Amino acid sequence: MLDLVLAGGGMMLPIIIASVIALAIIFERLYTLRRGRIMGGDPVGMVRSWQGHGGITAARLDELGRVSPLGRILAEGLAGSHSAEGMRVRIEDAGRHVAHQMERYLNTLGTIALIAPLLGLLGTVIGIIDVFQAITAHSGAGAVAPELLAGGIAKALITTAAGIMVAVPAFIFHRYFRGLIDELVIDMEAEAIRLVDMIHPVGLGRRQAA
């Protein structure tokens, strides 16, 4: 493996750095975006149990906000629970912040998926240049020895392969995380609506208005 890296020349260094960063992001996001960590069990059920046992207090809101990102969103909504519209506004604002945190590092991962093949292509161009330089340097000495061309050809092939090997998993996980975040956001929206309906039942509001 070390021989392959050395044969790939200087362009292997940025490709290796990109691969290390991509791996770090992938493992960090796999840990951070676990459904159990994001949803935190059943925070809406927790709030329902509080309603029959002492009500919703500031201390309980702090507890709810520490349960999970979803709990933080719901706690923000409950802090403005004087009206359904106030809850929705606060929930939407908190939800945007949580969604932004869930997307952390994904732009970097997508950038790596984009530039890794370009780095490999640049290494390929450099390798081909080395081949032509070897041919030019020995143009007056008859046939060029194969070993003089092997280094440039190896550099061209190795860097191309390395760039693709980094780009493919980076792209796959980038798409996977995007889809996972979309699913989690939809599930959090459903839980938020469930909370608003529980605190401000539509039927009760209509009867009061009548």
Side-chain angles (χ1 to χ4, degrees), residues 11-210:
M11 288 308 302
M12 287 298 292
L13 180 59
I15 293 175
I16 291 173
I17 293 174
S19 69
V20 172
I21 295 174
L23 280 175
I25 293 173
I26 289 169
F27 284 117
E28 190 274 339
R29 290 291 90 184
L30 284 173
Y31 175 80
T32 301
L33 296 178
R34 290 172 297 148
R35 177 171 292 274
R37 180 186 176 278
I38 298 297
M39 304 301 290
D42 184 17
V44 177
M46 183 186 301
V47 174
R48 179 183 290 110
S49 68
W50 288 344
Q51 287 183 313
H53 298 84
I56 301 170
T57 63
R60 284 176 168 176
L61 285 181
D62 289 340
E63 178 185 350
L64 180 63
R66 291 192 297 268
V67 167
S68 65
L70 173 59
R72 187 159 65 250
I73 293 172
L74 301 183
E76 285 292 329
L78 289 170
S81 60
H82 56 280
S83 69
E85 185 60 29
M87 284 190 70
R88 293 191 185 96
V89 170
R90 293 180 70 97
I91 285 172
E92 288 174 1
D93 184 62
R96 283 192 294 269
H97 285 84
V98 169
H100 179 72
Q101 292 174 354
M102 290 167 63
E103 294 174 351
R104 190 179 183 189
Y105 304 130
L106 290 194
N107 283 339
T108 302
L109 188 61
T111 300
I112 290 173
L114 176 64
I115 68 171
L118 298 179
L119 292 174
L121 179 61
L122 179 58
T124 300
V125 173
I126 293 173
I128 293 174
I129 290 173
D130 289 345
V131 170
F132 279 105
Q133 286 179 338
I135 294 174
T136 301
H138 295 80
S139 59
V144 181
E147 59 269 16
L148 296 177
L149 305 179
I153 296 173
K155 183 183 297 184
L157 296 176
I158 292 171
T159 53
T160 300
I164 294 173
M165 289 174 63
V166 173
V168 170
F171 179 77
I172 290 173
F173 276 100
H174 180 265
R175 298 291 295 177
Y176 168 73
F177 290 136
R178 286 292 183 188
L180 177 60
I181 290 171
D182 288 343
E183 291 179 5
L184 291 172
V185 168
I186 290 173
D187 290 343
M188 287 191 292
E189 287 177 352
E191 290 298 298
I193 293 172
R194 180 182 164 205
L195 177 70
V196 174
D197 290 343
M198 184 179 71
I199 301 298
H200 297 283
V202 175
L204 178 60
R206 287 176 179 171
R207 286 197 299 270
Q208 289 176 343

